[in-house]
Amino acid sequence: MAMGNTGTLFGWAFGDPAREQEDAYVGKLQDEALANARETAKAKGVSVVADSQVFTVLSADDSLVELDNAPGKLVVRCTVHVEGPGADKLRAEGPMNG
């Protein structure tokens, strides 16, 4: 991985908060969030660094994050490192990819 030519992106998946304790269900949402991050990376002309994904599961009940506009109220965020031309300009910050 070239120094100075990496960045970060978010991927997202939304689910049913009643199923937050189901490991297989949350695992499926994590897969969806990673796929979303890969699609975003591809659209920006960069690639996801293998095994760089970190998942965060947020629900309206235990988060300070404003989730009123999140469909389903259970949110899985996947943060990945990306590399390639222009990757150093990509930063996952707050709820957005900047």
Coordinates of all heavy atoms in Angstrom, one line a residue:
M1 N 0.9 -1.2 0.0 CA 0.0 0.0 0.0 C 0.9 1.2 0.0 O 1.7 1.4 0.9 CB -0.9 -0.1 1.2 CG -2.0 0.9 1.3 SD -3.2 0.6 2.6 CE -2.5 -0.2 3.8
A2 N 0.7 2.1 -1.0 CA 1.5 3.3 -1.1 C 1.1 4.3 0.0 O -0.1 4.6 0.1 CB 1.4 3.9 -2.5
M3 N 2.1 4.8 0.7 CA 1.8 5.9 1.7 C 1.3 7.1 1.0 O 1.8 7.5 -0.1 CB 3.1 6.2 2.4 CG 3.5 5.1 3.4 SD 2.3 4.8 4.7 CE 2.9 6.0 5.8
G4 N 0.3 7.8 1.5 CA -0.2 9.0 1.0 C -1.2 8.8 -0.1 O -1.7 9.8 -0.7
N5 N -1.4 7.6 -0.5 CA -2.4 7.3 -1.6 C -3.5 6.4 -1.1 O -4.0 5.6 -1.8 CB -1.6 6.7 -2.8 CG -2.4 6.9 -4.1 OD1 -3.1 7.9 -4.2 ND2 -2.2 6.0 -5.0
T6 N -3.8 6.6 0.2 CA -4.9 5.8 0.8 C -5.9 6.8 1.4 O -5.6 7.9 1.8 CB -4.5 4.8 1.8 OG1 -3.8 5.5 2.9 CG2 -3.5 3.8 1.2
G7 N -7.1 6.3 1.6 CA -8.2 7.1 2.2 C -9.2 6.2 2.9 O -8.9 5.0 3.0
T8 N -10.3 6.7 3.3 CA -11.4 5.9 3.9 C -12.7 6.3 3.3 O -13.0 7.4 2.9 CB -11.4 6.2 5.4 OG1 -11.5 7.6 5.7 CG2 -10.2 5.6 6.1
L9 N -13.6 5.3 3.3 CA -15.0 5.4 2.9 C -15.9 4.7 3.8 O -15.5 3.7 4.5 CB -15.2 4.9 1.5 CG -14.6 5.6 0.3 CD1 -14.9 4.8 -1.0 CD2 -15.2 7.0 0.2
F10 N -17.2 5.1 3.9 CA -18.2 4.4 4.6 C -19.1 3.6 3.6 O -19.3 4.0 2.5 CB -19.2 5.3 5.3 CG -18.7 6.0 6.5 CD1 -19.0 7.4 6.7 CD2 -17.9 5.4 7.4 CE1 -18.5 8.0 7.8 CE2 -17.4 6.0 8.6 CZ -17.7 7.4 8.8
G11 N -19.6 2.5 4.1 CA -20.7 1.7 3.4 C -21.8 1.6 4.5 O -21.5 1.6 5.7
W12 N -23.0 1.4 4.0 CA -24.1 1.4 4.9 C -25.1 0.3 4.6 O -25.2 -0.1 3.5 CB -24.9 2.7 4.8 CG -24.1 3.9 5.1 CD1 -23.4 4.7 4.2 CD2 -23.9 4.5 6.4 NE1 -22.8 5.7 4.8 CE2 -23.1 5.7 6.2 CE3 -24.3 4.2 7.6 CZ2 -22.6 6.5 7.2 CZ3 -23.8 5.0 8.7 CH2 -23.0 6.1 8.5
A13 N -25.8 -0.2 5.7 CA -26.9 -1.1 5.5 C -27.9 -0.8 6.6 O -27.5 -0.3 7.7 CB -26.5 -2.6 5.6
F14 N -29.2 -1.0 6.4 CA -30.2 -0.7 7.3 C -31.1 -1.9 7.6 O -31.4 -2.7 6.7 CB -31.1 0.5 6.7 CG -30.3 1.7 6.4 CD1 -29.9 1.9 5.1 CD2 -29.9 2.6 7.4 CE1 -29.1 3.0 4.8 CE2 -29.2 3.7 7.1 CZ -28.8 3.9 5.8
G15 N -31.4 -2.1 8.9 CA -32.2 -3.3 9.2 C -33.2 -3.0 10.3 O -33.5 -1.9 10.7
D16 N -33.8 -4.1 10.7 CA -34.8 -4.2 11.7 C -34.2 -4.2 13.1 O -33.5 -5.1 13.5 CB -35.6 -5.5 11.5 CG -36.8 -5.6 12.5 OD1 -36.9 -4.8 13.4 OD2 -37.5 -6.6 12.3
P17 N -34.5 -3.1 13.9 CA -33.9 -3.1 15.3 C -34.4 -4.2 16.2 O -33.6 -4.6 17.1 CB -34.4 -1.7 15.8 CG -35.6 -1.4 15.0 CD -35.4 -2.0 13.7
A18 N -35.5 -4.8 15.9 CA -35.9 -6.0 16.7 C -35.0 -7.2 16.6 O -35.1 -8.1 17.4 CB -37.4 -6.3 16.4
R19 N -34.2 -7.2 15.5 CA -33.3 -8.3 15.2 C -31.9 -8.0 15.5 O -31.0 -8.8 15.2 CB -33.5 -8.8 13.8 CG -35.0 -9.2 13.5 CD -35.1 -9.7 12.1 NE -34.4 -10.9 11.9 CZ -34.2 -11.5 10.7 NH1 -34.8 -10.9 9.6 NH2 -33.5 -12.6 10.6
E20 N -31.6 -7.0 16.2 CA -30.2 -6.5 16.5 C -29.4 -7.6 17.3 O -28.2 -7.7 17.1 CB -30.3 -5.2 17.3 CG -28.9 -4.7 17.6 CD -28.9 -3.4 18.3 OE1 -30.0 -2.9 18.7 OE2 -27.8 -2.8 18.5
Q21 N -30.1 -8.4 18.1 CA -29.4 -9.5 18.8 C -29.1 -10.8 18.0 O -28.5 -11.7 18.5 CB -30.1 -9.8 20.1 CG -30.3 -8.6 21.0 CD -29.0 -7.9 21.4 OE1 -28.0 -8.5 21.7 NE2 -29.0 -6.6 21.3
E22 N -29.6 -10.8 16.8 CA -29.4 -12.0 16.0 C -28.1 -11.9 15.2 O -28.0 -11.1 14.2 CB -30.6 -12.2 15.0 CG -31.9 -12.4 15.6 CD -33.0 -12.5 14.6 OE1 -32.8 -13.0 13.5 OE2 -34.2 -12.1 15.0
D23 N -27.1 -12.7 15.6 CA -25.8 -12.6 15.0 C -25.8 -12.8 13.5 O -25.2 -12.1 12.7 CB -24.8 -13.6 15.6 CG -24.5 -13.2 17.1 OD1 -24.7 -12.1 17.4 OD2 -24.0 -14.1 17.8
A24 N -26.6 -13.8 13.0 CA -26.6 -14.1 11.6 C -27.2 -12.9 10.8 O -26.8 -12.6 9.7 CB -27.4 -15.4 11.3
Y25 N -28.3 -12.3 11.4 CA -28.9 -11.2 10.7 C -28.0 -10.0 10.6 O -27.8 -9.4 9.6 CB -30.2 -10.8 11.5 CG -30.9 -9.6 10.9 CD1 -31.6 -9.8 9.7 CD2 -31.0 -8.4 11.5 CE1 -32.3 -8.7 9.1 CE2 -31.6 -7.3 11.0 CZ -32.3 -7.5 9.8 OH -33.0 -6.4 9.3
V26 N -27.3 -9.7 11.7 CA -26.4 -8.6 11.8 C -25.2 -8.9 10.8 O -24.7 -8.0 10.1 CB -25.9 -8.3 13.2 CG1 -24.8 -7.2 13.2 CG2 -27.1 -7.8 14.0
G27 N -24.8 -10.1 10.8 CA -23.7 -10.5 9.8 C -24.1 -10.2 8.4 O -23.3 -9.8 7.6
K28 N -25.4 -10.5 8.1 CA -25.9 -10.2 6.7 C -25.9 -8.7 6.4 O -25.5 -8.3 5.3 CB -27.3 -10.8 6.6 CG -27.9 -10.5 5.2 CD -29.3 -11.2 5.2 CE -30.1 -10.8 3.9 NZ -30.9 -9.6 4.0
L29 N -26.2 -7.9 7.4 CA -26.2 -6.5 7.2 C -24.8 -6.0 7.1 O -24.5 -5.1 6.3 CB -26.9 -5.8 8.4 CG -28.4 -6.0 8.5 CD1 -28.9 -5.3 9.8 CD2 -29.1 -5.4 7.3
Q30 N -23.8 -6.6 7.8 CA -22.4 -6.2 7.7 C -21.9 -6.5 6.2 O -21.2 -5.7 5.6 CB -21.6 -7.0 8.7 CG -21.8 -6.4 10.1 CD -21.0 -7.2 11.1 OE1 -20.7 -8.4 11.0 NE2 -20.7 -6.6 12.3
D31 N -22.3 -7.7 5.7 CA -22.0 -8.0 4.3 C -22.5 -7.0 3.4 O -21.9 -6.6 2.4 CB -22.5 -9.4 3.9 CG -21.8 -10.5 4.7 OD1 -20.7 -10.3 5.2 OD2 -22.3 -11.7 4.7
E32 N -23.8 -6.6 3.6 CA -24.4 -5.5 2.7 C -23.7 -4.2 2.8 O -23.5 -3.5 1.8 CB -25.9 -5.4 3.1 CG -26.8 -6.5 2.7 CD -28.2 -6.3 3.2 OE1 -28.6 -5.2 3.6 OE2 -28.9 -7.3 3.3
A33 N -23.3 -3.8 4.1 CA -22.6 -2.6 4.3 C -21.2 -2.6 3.6 O -20.8 -1.6 2.9 CB -22.4 -2.3 5.7
L34 N -20.5 -3.8 3.6 CA -19.2 -3.9 3.0 C -19.4 -3.8 1.4 O -18.6 -3.2 0.7 CB -18.5 -5.2 3.4 CG -17.2 -5.5 2.7 CD1 -16.2 -4.4 2.9 CD2 -16.6 -6.8 3.2
A35 N -20.5 -4.5 0.9 CA -20.7 -4.4 -0.5 C -21.0 -3.0 -0.9 O -20.6 -2.5 -2.0 CB -21.9 -5.3 -0.8
N36 N -21.8 -2.2 -0.1 CA -22.0 -0.8 -0.4 C -20.8 0.0 -0.4 O -20.6 0.8 -1.3 CB -23.0 -0.3 0.7 CG -23.4 1.2 0.4 OD1 -22.9 2.0 1.2 ND2 -24.2 1.5 -0.6
A37 N -19.8 -0.3 0.5 CA -18.6 0.4 0.5 C -17.8 0.1 -0.7 O -17.1 1.0 -1.3 CB -17.8 0.0 1.8
R38 N -17.8 -1.1 -1.2 CA -17.1 -1.5 -2.4 C -17.7 -0.8 -3.6 O -16.9 -0.4 -4.5 CB -17.1 -3.0 -2.6 CG -16.2 -3.8 -1.6 CD -16.1 -5.3 -1.9 NE -15.1 -5.9 -1.0 CZ -15.3 -7.0 -0.4 NH1 -16.5 -7.6 -0.4 NH2 -14.4 -7.5 0.4
E39 N -19.0 -0.8 -3.7 CA -19.7 -0.1 -4.8 C -19.3 1.4 -4.8 O -19.0 2.0 -5.9 CB -21.2 -0.2 -4.7 CG -21.7 -1.6 -4.9 CD -23.2 -1.7 -4.6 OE1 -23.9 -0.7 -4.5 OE2 -23.6 -2.9 -4.5
T40 N -19.3 2.0 -3.6 CA -18.9 3.4 -3.5 C -17.4 3.6 -4.0 O -17.1 4.6 -4.7 CB -19.1 4.0 -2.1 OG1 -20.5 3.8 -1.7 CG2 -18.7 5.4 -2.0
A41 N -16.6 2.7 -3.5 CA -15.1 2.8 -3.9 C -15.0 2.7 -5.4 O -14.3 3.5 -6.1 CB -14.3 1.7 -3.2
K42 N -15.7 1.7 -6.0 CA -15.6 1.5 -7.5 C -16.1 2.8 -8.2 O -15.5 3.2 -9.2 CB -16.5 0.3 -7.9 CG -16.4 0.0 -9.3 CD -17.2 -1.3 -9.6 CE -17.2 -1.6 -11.1 NZ -18.0 -2.8 -11.5
A43 N -17.2 3.4 -7.7 CA -17.7 4.6 -8.4 C -16.7 5.7 -8.3 O -16.8 6.6 -9.2 CB -19.1 5.0 -7.7
K44 N -15.9 5.7 -7.3 CA -14.9 6.8 -7.1 C -13.6 6.4 -7.8 O -12.6 7.2 -7.7 CB -14.7 7.1 -5.6 CG -16.0 7.8 -5.1 CD -15.8 8.2 -3.6 CE -17.0 8.9 -3.1 NZ -17.3 10.2 -3.6
G45 N -13.5 5.3 -8.4 CA -12.3 4.9 -9.1 C -11.1 4.4 -8.2 O -10.0 4.4 -8.6
V46 N -11.5 3.9 -7.0 CA -10.5 3.4 -6.1 C -10.9 2.0 -5.7 O -12.0 1.5 -6.0 CB -10.3 4.3 -4.8 CG1 -9.8 5.6 -5.2 CG2 -11.6 4.4 -4.1
S47 N -10.0 1.3 -5.0 CA -10.4 -0.1 -4.5 C -10.2 -0.2 -3.0 O -9.4 0.5 -2.4 CB -9.5 -1.1 -5.2 OG -8.1 -0.9 -5.0
V48 N -11.0 -1.1 -2.4 CA -11.0 -1.4 -1.0 C -9.8 -2.2 -0.6 O -9.5 -3.2 -1.3 CB -12.3 -2.1 -0.5 CG1 -12.2 -2.5 0.9 CG2 -13.5 -1.2 -0.8
V49 N -9.0 -1.8 0.4 CA -7.9 -2.5 0.9 C -8.4 -3.8 1.6 O -9.3 -3.7 2.5 CB -7.0 -1.7 1.9 CG1 -5.9 -2.5 2.5 CG2 -6.5 -0.5 1.1
A50 N -8.0 -5.0 1.2 CA -8.4 -6.2 1.7 C -8.3 -6.2 3.3 O -7.4 -5.8 3.8 CB -7.6 -7.4 1.2
D51 N -9.4 -6.8 3.9 CA -9.4 -6.9 5.3 C -9.3 -5.6 6.1 O -8.8 -5.7 7.3 CB -8.4 -8.0 5.8 CG -8.6 -9.3 5.2 OD1 -9.8 -9.7 5.1 OD2 -7.6 -10.0 4.8
S52 N -9.7 -4.5 5.6 CA -9.6 -3.2 6.3 C -10.9 -2.8 6.9 O -10.9 -1.8 7.6 CB -9.1 -2.1 5.3 OG -10.0 -1.8 4.3
Q53 N -11.9 -3.6 6.7 CA -13.3 -3.2 7.1 C -13.4 -3.2 8.7 O -12.9 -4.1 9.3 CB -14.4 -4.0 6.5 CG -14.4 -5.5 6.8 CD -13.5 -6.3 5.9 OE1 -12.6 -5.8 5.2 NE2 -13.8 -7.6 5.8
V54 N -14.1 -2.2 9.2 CA -14.5 -2.1 10.6 C -16.0 -1.8 10.6 O -16.4 -0.8 9.9 CB -13.7 -1.0 11.3 CG1 -14.1 -0.8 12.7 CG2 -12.2 -1.3 11.2
F55 N -16.7 -2.5 11.4 CA -18.2 -2.3 11.5 C -18.6 -1.7 12.8 O -18.0 -2.0 13.8 CB -18.9 -3.7 11.3 CG -18.6 -4.4 10.0 CD1 -17.7 -5.4 10.0 CD2 -19.3 -4.0 8.9 CE1 -17.4 -6.0 8.8 CE2 -19.0 -4.7 7.7 CZ -18.1 -5.7 7.6
T56 N -19.6 -0.8 12.6 CA -20.3 -0.2 13.8 C -21.7 -0.4 13.6 O -22.3 -0.1 12.6 CB -19.9 1.3 13.8 OG1 -18.5 1.5 13.8 CG2 -20.5 1.9 15.1
V57 N -22.4 -0.9 14.7 CA -23.8 -1.2 14.7 C -24.5 -0.1 15.5 O -24.1 0.0 16.7 CB -24.2 -2.6 15.1 CG1 -25.7 -2.8 15.2 CG2 -23.5 -3.6 14.3
L58 N -25.4 0.7 15.0 CA -26.0 1.8 15.7 C -27.5 1.5 15.8 O -28.1 1.2 14.7 CB -25.8 3.1 15.0 CG -24.3 3.5 14.8 CD1 -24.2 4.7 13.8 CD2 -23.6 3.8 16.1
S59 N -28.1 1.8 16.9 CA -29.6 1.7 17.0 C -30.0 3.0 17.7 O -29.3 3.6 18.5 CB -30.0 0.5 17.7 OG -29.8 0.5 19.1
A60 N -31.3 3.3 17.5 CA -31.8 4.5 18.1 C -31.8 4.4 19.7 O -31.7 5.4 20.4 CB -33.2 4.8 17.6
D61 N -31.9 3.2 20.2 CA -31.9 3.0 21.7 C -30.6 3.3 22.4 O -30.6 3.7 23.5 CB -32.4 1.6 22.0 CG -33.8 1.4 21.6 OD1 -34.6 2.4 21.5 OD2 -34.2 0.2 21.4
D62 N -29.5 3.1 21.7 CA -28.2 3.2 22.4 C -27.2 4.1 21.8 O -26.0 3.9 21.9 CB -27.6 1.8 22.7 CG -27.4 1.0 21.4 OD1 -27.4 1.6 20.3 OD2 -27.1 -0.2 21.5
S63 N -27.7 5.0 21.0 CA -26.7 5.8 20.2 C -27.0 7.3 20.4 O -28.2 7.7 20.5 CB -26.8 5.5 18.8 OG -26.0 6.4 18.0
L64 N -26.0 8.1 20.4 CA -26.2 9.6 20.4 C -26.3 10.1 19.0 O -26.6 11.3 18.8 CB -25.0 10.2 21.1 CG -24.8 9.9 22.6 CD1 -23.5 10.5 23.1 CD2 -26.0 10.3 23.4
V65 N -26.1 9.2 18.0 CA -26.3 9.6 16.6 C -27.7 9.8 16.3 O -28.6 9.0 16.7 CB -25.7 8.5 15.7 CG1 -25.9 8.9 14.2 CG2 -24.2 8.4 16.0
E66 N -28.0 10.9 15.6 CA -29.4 11.1 15.2 C -29.9 10.1 14.1 O -29.3 10.1 13.0 CB -29.5 12.6 14.6 CG -30.9 13.0 14.2 CD -31.9 12.9 15.3 OE1 -31.7 13.5 16.4 OE2 -32.9 12.2 15.1
L67 N -30.8 9.3 14.5 CA -31.2 8.2 13.5 C -32.7 8.4 13.1 O -33.2 7.5 12.5 CB -31.1 6.8 14.2 CG -29.7 6.4 14.6 CD1 -29.8 5.1 15.3 CD2 -28.8 6.3 13.4
D68 N -33.3 9.6 13.3 CA -34.7 9.8 12.9 C -34.9 9.6 11.4 O -36.0 9.2 11.0 CB -35.2 11.2 13.3 CG -35.4 11.3 14.8 OD1 -35.5 10.2 15.5 OD2 -35.5 12.4 15.3
N69 N -33.9 9.8 10.6 CA -34.1 9.7 9.2 C -33.6 8.4 8.6 O -33.6 8.1 7.4 CB -33.4 10.8 8.4 CG -34.1 12.2 8.8 OD1 -35.3 12.2 8.9 ND2 -33.3 13.2 8.9
A70 N -33.1 7.5 9.5 CA -32.5 6.2 9.1 C -33.7 5.2 9.0 O -34.4 4.9 9.9 CB -31.5 5.7 10.1
P71 N -33.9 4.6 7.8 CA -34.9 3.6 7.6 C -34.6 2.4 8.5 O -33.5 1.9 8.6 CB -34.8 3.2 6.1 CG -33.7 3.9 5.6 CD -33.1 4.8 6.6
G72 N -35.6 2.0 9.3 CA -35.5 0.8 10.1 C -34.9 1.1 11.5 O -35.0 0.2 12.3
K73 N -34.2 2.2 11.6 CA -33.6 2.5 12.9 C -32.4 1.7 13.3 O -31.7 2.0 14.3 CB -34.6 2.5 14.0 CG -35.8 3.4 13.8 CD -35.5 4.9 13.9 CE -36.8 5.7 13.9 NZ -36.8 6.8 13.1
L74 N -32.1 0.6 12.7 CA -30.8 -0.2 12.9 C -29.9 0.1 11.8 O -30.3 -0.1 10.6 CB -31.1 -1.6 13.1 CG -29.9 -2.5 13.3 CD1 -29.2 -2.2 14.6 CD2 -30.3 -4.0 13.3
V75 N -28.7 0.6 12.1 CA -27.8 1.0 11.0 C -26.5 0.3 11.2 O -26.0 0.3 12.3 CB -27.5 2.6 11.1 CG1 -26.5 3.0 10.0 CG2 -28.8 3.3 10.9
V76 N -26.0 -0.3 10.2 CA -24.7 -0.9 10.2 C -23.8 -0.1 9.3 O -24.1 0.1 8.1 CB -24.7 -2.4 9.7 CG1 -23.3 -2.9 9.7 CG2 -25.5 -3.2 10.7
R77 N -22.7 0.5 9.9 CA -21.8 1.3 9.1 C -20.5 0.5 8.9 O -20.0 -0.1 9.9 CB -21.5 2.6 9.8 CG -20.5 3.5 9.1 CD -20.2 4.7 9.9 NE -19.3 4.4 11.0 CZ -19.2 5.1 12.1 NH1 -19.8 6.3 12.2 NH2 -18.4 4.7 13.0
C78 N -20.0 0.4 7.7 CA -18.7 -0.2 7.5 C -17.7 0.8 7.0 O -17.9 1.5 6.0 CB -18.9 -1.3 6.4 SG -17.4 -2.1 5.8
T79 N -16.6 0.9 7.7 CA -15.5 1.9 7.4 C -14.4 1.0 6.7 O -14.0 0.0 7.3 CB -15.0 2.6 8.6 OG1 -16.1 3.2 9.3 CG2 -14.0 3.7 8.2
V80 N -14.0 1.4 5.5 CA -12.9 0.7 4.9 C -11.8 1.7 4.4 O -12.0 2.9 4.3 CB -13.4 0.0 3.6 CG1 -14.4 -1.1 4.0 CG2 -14.1 0.9 2.6
H81 N -10.6 1.2 4.3 CA -9.5 1.9 3.7 C -9.6 1.6 2.2 O -9.9 0.5 1.8 CB -8.2 1.5 4.3 CG -8.0 1.9 5.7 ND1 -7.5 3.1 6.1 CD2 -8.2 1.2 6.8 CE1 -7.5 3.2 7.4 NE2 -7.9 2.0 7.9
V82 N -9.3 2.7 1.4 CA -9.3 2.6 0.0 C -7.9 3.0 -0.6 O -7.2 3.8 0.1 CB -10.4 3.3 -0.7 CG1 -11.8 2.7 -0.4 CG2 -10.4 4.8 -0.3
E83 N -7.5 2.5 -1.7 CA -6.3 2.9 -2.4 C -6.5 3.1 -3.8 O -7.4 2.5 -4.4 CB -5.2 1.9 -2.1 CG -5.5 0.5 -2.6 CD -4.5 -0.5 -2.2 OE1 -3.5 -0.2 -1.5 OE2 -4.7 -1.7 -2.5
G84 N -5.6 3.9 -4.4 CA -5.7 4.2 -5.9 C -5.6 5.7 -6.1 O -5.5 6.5 -5.2
P85 N -5.7 6.0 -7.4 CA -5.6 7.5 -7.7 C -6.7 8.3 -7.0 O -7.9 8.0 -7.1 CB -5.8 7.5 -9.2 CG -5.5 6.1 -9.7 CD -5.9 5.2 -8.5
G86 N -6.2 9.3 -6.3 CA -7.2 10.2 -5.6 C -7.7 9.7 -4.3 O -8.4 10.4 -3.6
A87 N -7.3 8.5 -3.9 CA -7.8 7.9 -2.6 C -7.4 8.8 -1.4 O -8.1 8.9 -0.5 CB -7.2 6.5 -2.4
D88 N -6.2 9.5 -1.5 CA -5.8 10.3 -0.4 C -6.7 11.5 -0.1 O -6.7 12.1 0.9 CB -4.4 10.8 -0.6 CG -4.2 11.5 -1.9 OD1 -4.9 11.2 -2.9 OD2 -3.3 12.4 -1.9
K89 N -7.6 11.8 -1.1 CA -8.6 12.9 -0.9 C -9.9 12.4 -0.3 O -10.8 13.2 0.0 CB -8.8 13.6 -2.3 CG -7.6 14.3 -2.8 CD -7.9 14.9 -4.1 CE -6.7 15.7 -4.6 NZ -5.7 14.9 -5.2
L90 N -10.1 11.1 -0.1 CA -11.3 10.5 0.4 C -11.2 10.3 1.9 O -10.3 9.6 2.4 CB -11.6 9.2 -0.3 CG -11.8 9.3 -1.9 CD1 -12.0 7.9 -2.4 CD2 -13.0 10.2 -2.2
R91 N -12.2 10.8 2.6 CA -12.2 10.7 4.1 C -13.6 10.4 4.5 O -14.5 11.2 4.2 CB -11.7 11.9 4.8 CG -10.3 12.2 4.6 CD -9.4 11.4 5.5 NE -8.0 11.6 5.2 CZ -7.2 10.8 4.4 NH1 -7.8 9.7 3.9 NH2 -6.0 11.1 4.2
A92 N -13.8 9.3 5.2 CA -15.1 9.0 5.9 C -15.2 9.9 7.1 O -14.4 9.7 8.0 CB -15.2 7.5 6.2
E93 N -16.1 10.8 7.2 CA -16.2 11.7 8.3 C -17.7 11.9 8.6 O -18.5 12.1 7.7 CB -15.6 13.1 8.0 CG -14.1 13.0 7.8 CD -13.5 14.3 7.4 OE1 -14.2 15.3 7.1 OE2 -12.3 14.4 7.3
G94 N -18.0 11.9 9.9 CA -19.4 12.1 10.3 C -20.2 11.0 9.6 O -19.8 9.9 9.6
P95 N -21.4 11.4 9.1 CA -22.2 10.4 8.4 C -21.9 10.3 6.9 O -22.5 9.5 6.2 CB -23.6 10.9 8.6 CG -23.4 12.3 8.6 CD -22.1 12.6 9.3
M96 N -20.9 11.1 6.4 CA -20.7 11.2 4.9 C -19.3 10.7 4.5 O -18.4 10.6 5.3 CB -20.9 12.7 4.5 CG -22.2 13.3 5.0 SD -23.6 12.5 4.3 CE -23.4 13.0 2.6
N97 N -19.3 10.4 3.2 CA -18.0 10.2 2.5 C -17.6 11.5 1.9 O -18.3 12.1 1.1 CB -18.1 9.2 1.4 CG -18.3 7.8 2.0 OD1 -17.6 7.4 2.9 ND2 -19.3 7.1 1.5
G98 N -16.4 12.1 2.3 CA -16.0 13.4 1.9 C -14.8 13.3 0.9 O -14.3 12.3 0.7

